[in-house]
Amino acid sequence: MDEALLSSLNEAQRQAVLHFQGPALVVAGAGSGKTRTVVHRVAYLIAHRGVFPTEILAVTFTNKATEEMRERLKGMVKGAGEVWVSTFHAAALRILRVYGERVGLKPGFVVYDEDDQTALLKEVLKELGLSAKPGPIKSLLDRAKNRGEAPEALLSELPEYYAGLSRGRLLDVLRRYQEALAAQGALDFGDILLYALRLLEEDQEVLKRVRKRARFIHVDEYQDTNPVQYRFTKLLAGGEANLMAVGDPDQGIYSFRAADIKNILQFTEDFPGARVYRLEENYRSTEAILRFANAVIVRNALRLEKTLRPVKGGGEPVRLFRARDAREEARFVAEEILRLGPPFDRFAVLYRTNAQSRLLEQALASRGVGARVVGGVGFFERAEVKDLLAYARLALNPLDSVSLKRILNTPPRGIGPATVEKVARLAQEKGLPLFEALKEAEGVLPRPEPVRHFVALMEELMDLAFGPAEAFFRHLLLATDYPAYLKEAYPEDHEDRLENVEELLRAAKEAESLMEFLDKVALTARAEEPGEAEGKVSLMTLHNAKGLEFPVVFLVGVEEGLLPHRNSLNTLEGLEEERRLFYVGVTRAQERLYLSYAEEREVYGRTEASRPSRFLEEVGEGLYQVYDPYRNPGPIPPPHRPKPGAYKGGEKVVHPRFGPGVVVAAAGDEVTVHFEGVGLKRLSLKYADLRPA
């Protein structure tokens, strides 16, 4: 036994590495060194168990993880470069390149990316004489193929009209799309695994050959496998079942991508006799952070028992900041980052929804702190935000042809490329701006009504352009029915997009005029940032934070309706996934963890009182410290919590934010209080910190 391969491992890692034949499940907690364990196990199989490198397959979920594993294996043991390290899709594609003709694929078949897929759908819609948007149809195709089902099998789950098409017409599009793919010798991304799975299920000779190349299989992030990846893995493992699945059900957060957490929870049922190894020593976070994390996740029923134990002792307490509103929350984050000082790339700010990034981006930019939005685009670069800003720019400046072209047929109003081409030709012939040419185009267009309606809409908006910015956008949303367009065009994430629209309205409310608002947007987008040496603060959703780690993490918006998200409260599975999402965010922090919530937040145009997340209550106050360095030096005590029934009405009280007030009504856990200079506020006794005056 080569101690060099084992000496750097802890006892649990060592036991997993020494596992030889038969199925094994490695339950690897956050920061527990799972990649190290897999890499050492592969090297050990080669160096001490006589397994050929060409008999080992290691499957990861991202190209980045694949490259990292390959790099770690290099130099550890002779021949490690021949180990098959791959993503699921790359492994399936490799199989199809060799044996694809057996399932009807042409030699040299191509794989279409998302843009190619969208372009083909547009061609199909045009061919069938339909004006639907390809986005929702593409989402339907992706969802079906991830689940391993024919797209038409999902029709029963859809409304009668989906993407503006009846079920019959939608079925025509789906069938014609697959025919067009086949005719062009192409697969889309979802087809890769489906074709490979079909090949292995139908052709025993090919299955035998591939199994020989993958006698010992390792699958990372097993909790994130979807039904097709699960079937693919189980088929390859076969009767020998030399499969080591590595993952953590506590970090299963991708059900929206068809990931099924039951795959890892039921591993020992799928593979009787499987050995289970638990990696519980955490090398990432301090004891204070891990105590909090363990208290969060222990509430979940759908999990495999484990408790993270810190290698690092002690550490700064987990701190909770109670903000008056989302603006103060963003200001706190920016000020605390400045107080702790550069390098700024050691900081990450995590949030549940993309819309939350806007105030954070602005708060950091206004203080000269560089920020980058990870796994997404900046708030003002998002498609729905850019659409609405284009309307505003055109309303203020009818010469802006770039903005005009962006929104001429958004939402769809029957103005196609041929119409735009005719109008552009007319503009050139007469030397007119494009918008003026639209007004004169009736004579050259076979169907002038859509253009006439657009011109009338823009002239209406031009009259409103010199009034309040918020009123302009609200009128625009009503006049175009833009929210309905988002719901139809982006069925998978329309709620996030609608939240971005609401966030834009909130931002507009703060400006005196539309012009002032657009100027502010331009300055925010082009804010001067510090040099690369200082780094940038990372801003990202909790979903995009998976797999990353930072010395200092701010997790904002820890309140009911956001985390857990309001759309996830109807089922146990939904609520538990939200708790896992919170757990993932907490376990990104290495040294310091800040949590924050706002006592009130605007929701769909209305300011509403917010409650701290139930996850905070579940953890208990002993594991975090309420923190407010800008109003009181040092930590402040937890809120005073009168019991329901403590107030009847008429009592004088004091609130830490709103000051003195009088209780005007009380019902159960809630009271309505009139505060001087603030007005009426409905508050929860559980969280409001009301005290007798």
Side-chain angles (χ1 to χ4, degrees):
M1 183 181 298
D2 187 354
E3 278 300 319
L5 274 178
L6 302 175
S7 59
S8 63
L9 305 175
N10 63 41
E11 185 54 32
Q13 292 170 336
R14 179 189 291 250
Q15 291 304 315
V17 166
L18 292 174
H19 179 90
F20 182 34
Q21 292 180 313
L25 174 64
V26 179
V27 183
S32 63
K34 67 181 175 64
T35 304
R36 167 186 287 270
T37 303
V38 173
V39 168
H40 279 70
R41 199 256 178 161
V42 170
Y44 187 78
L45 286 175
I46 297 168
H48 297 286
R49 287 294 189 174
V51 177
F52 294 114
T54 51
E55 295 179 308
I56 301 172
L57 169 64
V59 180
T60 66
F61 265 79
T62 66
N63 292 321
K64 181 182 175 185
T66 298
E67 288 305 314
E68 181 185 349
M69 191 171 290
R70 283 197 189 114
E71 286 301 314
R72 290 201 193 187
L73 277 169
K74 280 181 185 175
M76 284 190 71
V77 65
K78 188 177 180 181
E82 296 181 73
V83 173
W84 188 4
V85 184
S86 174
T87 63
F88 272 108
H89 284 87
L93 188 57
R94 180 171 170 177
I95 294 167
L96 292 176
R97 286 295 177 206
V98 180
Y99 303 108
E101 289 182 72
R102 299 191 181 209
V103 281
L105 294 178
K106 298 175 183 177
F109 68 86
V110 296
V111 177
Y112 279 177
D113 63 17
E114 289 199 14
D115 289 341
D116 299 326
Q117 190 181 4
T118 300
L120 182 59
L121 278 168
K122 285 180 177 177
E123 284 182 23
V124 168
L125 290 166
K126 185 177 180 181
E127 177 189 321
L128 296 175
L130 302 171
S131 59
K133 282 275 185 180
I137 304 171
K138 180 183 169 303
S139 296
L140 173 65
L141 285 162
D142 292 346
R143 187 161 73 250
K145 291 179 181 184
N146 282 335
R147 284 162 53 168
E149 300 177 23
E152 50 266 33
L154 270 62
L155 293 183
S156 61
E157 300 177 13
L158 301 175
E160 187 63 37
Y161 279 86
Y162 178 82
L165 300 174
S166 68
R167 287 180 182 172
R169 293 305 271 158
L170 181 58
L171 187 57
D172 291 340
V173 173
L174 296 174
R175 286 174 176 165
R176 182 69 196 100
Y177 169 77
Q178 287 302 138
E179 289 170 2
L181 273 177
Q184 296 180 36
L187 301 181
D188 62 26
F189 203 67
D191 282 330
I192 297 172
L193 271 166
L194 283 177
Y195 269 81
L197 185 61
R198 184 178 135 207
L199 171 66
L200 296 177
E201 287 177 339
E202 295 177 359
D203 195 316
Q204 289 300 307
E205 183 187 346
V206 172
L207 178 60
K208 187 177 178 181
R209 290 180 187 177
V210 177
R211 279 179 174 167
K212 191 175 179 182
R213 183 65 181 87
R215 274 193 61 218
F216 289 84
I217 304 171
H218 306 74
V219 178
D220 196 9
E221 305 290 6
Y222 196 73
Q223 77 280 352
D224 293 333
T225 50
N226 64 35
V228 178
Q229 292 160 340
Y230 166 77
R231 285 166 58 193
F232 182 82
T233 302
K234 200 170 180 189
L235 191 60
L236 276 189
E240 280 191 75
N242 291 324
L243 167 65
M244 178 172 279
V246 185
D248 181 7
D250 291 341
Q251 296 184 71
I253 58 174
Y254 295 125
S255 64
F256 66 94
R257 295 180 188 165
D260 190 346
I261 195 173
K262 294 188 184 72
N263 294 345
I264 192 168
L265 294 176
Q266 297 173 359
F267 186 87
T268 54
E269 296 172 29
D270 290 335
F271 298 95
R275 294 287 304 274
V276 179
Y277 303 93
R278 288 179 169 80
L279 307 187
E280 298 179 306
E281 287 188 55
N282 176 284
Y283 294 87
R284 176 186 298 157
S285 306
T286 63
E287 181 180 3
I289 293 169
L290 289 184
R291 285 176 62 221
F292 186 94
N294 287 328
V296 168
I297 204 61
V298 74
R299 294 277 183 154
N300 268 14
L302 299 173
R303 65 187 301 257
L304 298 173
E305 191 60 41
K306 73 171 190 317
T307 301
L308 291 180
R309 299 189 301 274
V311 172
K312 302 176 185 175
E316 294 284 327
V318 175
R319 294 186 168 102
L320 173 68
F321 178 72
R322 304 196 308 249
R324 292 187 183 93
D325 53 29
R327 178 168 298 283
E328 184 178 74
E329 180 181 57
R331 190 163 56 241
F332 161 73
V333 170
E335 292 290 344
E336 190 71 1
I337 287 173
L338 276 176
R339 186 181 75 80
L340 294 172
F344 293 122
D345 55 9
R346 64 195 179 108
F347 298 98
V349 188
L350 313 181
Y351 37 81
R352 178 63 178 83
T353 67
N354 281 306
Q356 291 170 262
S357 78
R358 196 264 304 180
L359 288 173
L360 295 160
E361 289 177 66
Q362 290 185 329
L364 290 165
S366 68
R367 289 161 176 81
V369 177
R372 65 188 186 110
V373 178
V374 177
V377 293
F379 180 80
F380 293 110
E381 294 300 312
R382 290 168 192 159
E384 58 277 12
V385 174
K386 291 189 74 151
D387 286 347
L388 300 180
L389 292 176
Y391 274 102
R393 291 191 182 102
L394 184 61
L396 284 166
N397 176 19
L399 298 176
D400 184 354
S401 62
V402 173
S403 292
L404 172 58
K405 288 175 183 175
R406 182 181 182 94
I407 47 91
L408 189 54
N409 199 43
T410 304
R413 48 176 65 91
I415 303 176
T419 300
V420 177
E421 193 177 319
K422 285 180 182 177
V423 174
R425 198 179 306 124
L426 179 67
Q428 192 172 13
E429 288 169 2
K430 294 196 172 187
L432 294 172
L434 199 56
F435 186 72
E436 290 301 314
L438 285 173
K439 295 180 184 178
E440 299 191 15
E442 289 201 25
V444 299
L445 298 175
R447 288 182 61 248
E449 293 84 4
V451 168
R452 191 185 307 135
H453 290 153
F454 175 75
V455 170
L457 167 67
M458 286 312 307
E459 288 178 338
E460 195 177 303
L461 292 172
M462 286 169 188
D463 289 339
L464 296 170
F466 295 95
E470 184 193 14
F472 173 90
F473 286 115
R474 289 203 180 277
H475 184 86
L476 167 60
L477 292 171
L478 283 172
T480 59
D481 204 8
Y482 192 80
Y485 156 69
L486 288 180
K487 192 170 184 178
E488 186 171 297
Y490 304 100
E492 295 295 305
D493 64 350
H494 74 273
E495 286 163 345
D496 277 352
R497 292 175 185 270
L498 284 171
E499 286 180 8
N500 288 335
V501 170
E502 286 296 327
E503 188 62 30
L504 180 70
L505 292 175
R506 286 193 277 276
K509 195 175 184 179
E510 297 158 10
E512 290 187 9
S513 68
L514 190 61
M515 182 69 78
E516 179 196 310
F517 176 66
L518 291 180
D519 286 347
K520 189 174 182 181
V521 169
L523 291 171
T524 299
R526 293 165 179 78
E528 218 173 295
E529 295 178 346
E532 287 302 315
E534 289 182 318
K536 297 176 183 177
V537 176
S538 295
L539 306 179
M540 70 191 82
T541 64
L542 287 161
H543 283 102
N544 282 324
K546 176 82 180 300
L548 303 177
E549 58 185 42
F550 299 89
V552 186
V553 168
F554 292 82
L555 209 169
V556 301
V558 186
E559 57 206 56
E560 289 292 301
L562 269 180
L563 189 64
H565 196 275
R566 62 183 68 87
N567 296 331
S568 303
L569 300 178
N570 295 328
T571 64
L572 172 67
E573 291 82 4
L575 181 61
E576 292 210 346
E577 182 155 333
E578 291 292 302
R579 192 179 282 111
R580 292 195 293 269
L581 200 53
F582 184 41
Y583 175 79
V584 165
V586 166
T587 54
R588 299 311 94 194
Q590 295 170 301
E591 299 165 11
R592 291 174 182 259
L593 174 64
Y594 294 87
L595 310 171
S596 64
Y597 70 89
E599 291 188 325
E600 55 180 38
R601 194 178 290 271
E602 283 197 38
V603 179
Y604 301 120
R606 298 192 311 273
T607 299
E608 295 182 358
S610 301
R611 293 186 174 197
S613 170
R614 69 188 69 193
F615 301 152
L616 289 174
E617 184 179 342
E618 291 170 356
V619 167
E621 291 166 2
L623 295 180
Y624 64 86
Q625 188 180 79
V626 180
Y627 179 69
D628 194 345
Y630 305 111
R631 281 190 289 275
N632 299 287
I636 62 175
H640 174 64
R641 292 180 173 170
K643 293 180 180 177
Y647 297 108
K648 306 295 183 187
E651 295 88 353
K652 292 182 179 180
V653 293
V654 176
H655 187 275
R657 302 285 195 269
F658 307 131
V662 177
V663 177
V664 297
D669 182 41
E670 292 189 338
V671 293
T672 302
V673 183
H674 183 270
F675 293 102
E676 298 170 16
V678 177
L680 290 173
K681 293 286 181 184
R682 193 171 68 180
L683 304 169
S684 165
L685 289 177
K686 205 172 202 178
Y687 304 113
D689 201 6
L690 279 182
R691 298 173 187 269

